[in-house]
Amino acid sequence: TAVAITEQPVSVSVPVGYSFTLRCRAQGRTSLQYQWFCQYQSDCRLIPGATNQDLPIIAEQTQLYTCRVNDLQRNVVFSDWVKVEVHQYVARGLPPRLWQGEPVIVLNPSEQWVEVGQPLQLQCAAVGVPAPSYQWYRNGNLLEQQKRKKLRITHTKVSDSGTYLCCASNSHGEHWTNAVDVHIGGEILPPAEHLQLFRLVFILATDKIALLVGNNCYQHHPNLMAPVRDVFELSRLLEHLGFQVVSLLD
């Protein structure tokens, strides 16, 4: 072709107010002219004065960008559309002062209690230059179809229960979200009601020996904090109810 893009701009995910530059490079048989465009929602417009290979940006809102390159013979080519995702609410101190563009998690998923057949959605987000890609895991196993910031399961099954976490990665490295538990069942009870149920079951129990096992450290999975705390709390509860408790950790 008469004009060819040799360096495409890349999508980024950045905090509001962050300064960076989109780059586009092309080659042709004659001198080339550049013009950048942006699109917000359905409104696409030319950016006045944006006629250089580099487009300096101060991140204000999430938008799409493309660069038009033409030569003196009216041959025209457009770069890929890229997304500049702007996070309006990022905790102070993120990203780090010496940030090189590696992924930094700015939104972690939260624990979910879902009835069977109902939809499940987990969400995370990370800043990164280039924009991070995402991969979700359940119980340490990769979920092939879950490669977006939002994990969606339209109709949940009991087998969808487990511990979920997401990996955000780009060319500078990777960062993992917190691990969260997803509870799926016909009768979903919040934690406080679980404790009431435990009390009822334990009061009616005839055997007075309880074995508690809490696994905190995994070889191929991020460490969890809940098992140690849960074993400690349940041990106190069971002992108060007259049980002899054997607690095993890891």
Side-chain angles (χ1 to χ4, degrees), residues 1 15 35 42-43 47 53 70 90 92 97 115 129 135 140 144 180-182 192 203 209 212 224 240 244 250:
T1 59
Q35 176 62 61
S42 60
D43 179 28
I47 304 175
Q53 296 175 319
N70 64 272
V90 175
R92 182 175 298 177
R97 178 176 298 179
E115 294 186 9
V129 179
Q135 178 61 65
E144 286 285 353
V180 297
D181 291 329
V182 171
I203 289 173
I209 299 176
L212 299 180
L224 304 179
H240 180 72
Q244 295 182 17
D250 298 326

Side-chain angles (χ1 to χ4, degrees), residues 143-198:
L143 299 173
E144 286 285 353
Q145 306 302 318
Q146 302 293 350
K147 298 179 180 292
R148 298 176 180 272
K149 288 183 299 182
K150 292 183 179 180
L151 176 148
R152 289 189 177 95
I153 299 176
T154 305
H155 302 289
T156 55
K157 306 181 295 293
V158 173
S159 59
D160 293 319
S161 296
T163 302
Y164 287 74
L165 76 169
C166 187
C167 178
S169 61
N170 65 12
S171 56
H172 296 292
E174 64 182 28
H175 202 162
W176 295 77
T177 66
N178 295 339
V180 297
D181 291 329
V182 171
H183 313 270
I184 298 173
E187 295 293 333
I188 302 300
L189 298 175
E193 294 181 34
H194 272 187
L195 290 178
Q196 295 177 3
L197 179 60
F198 291 154

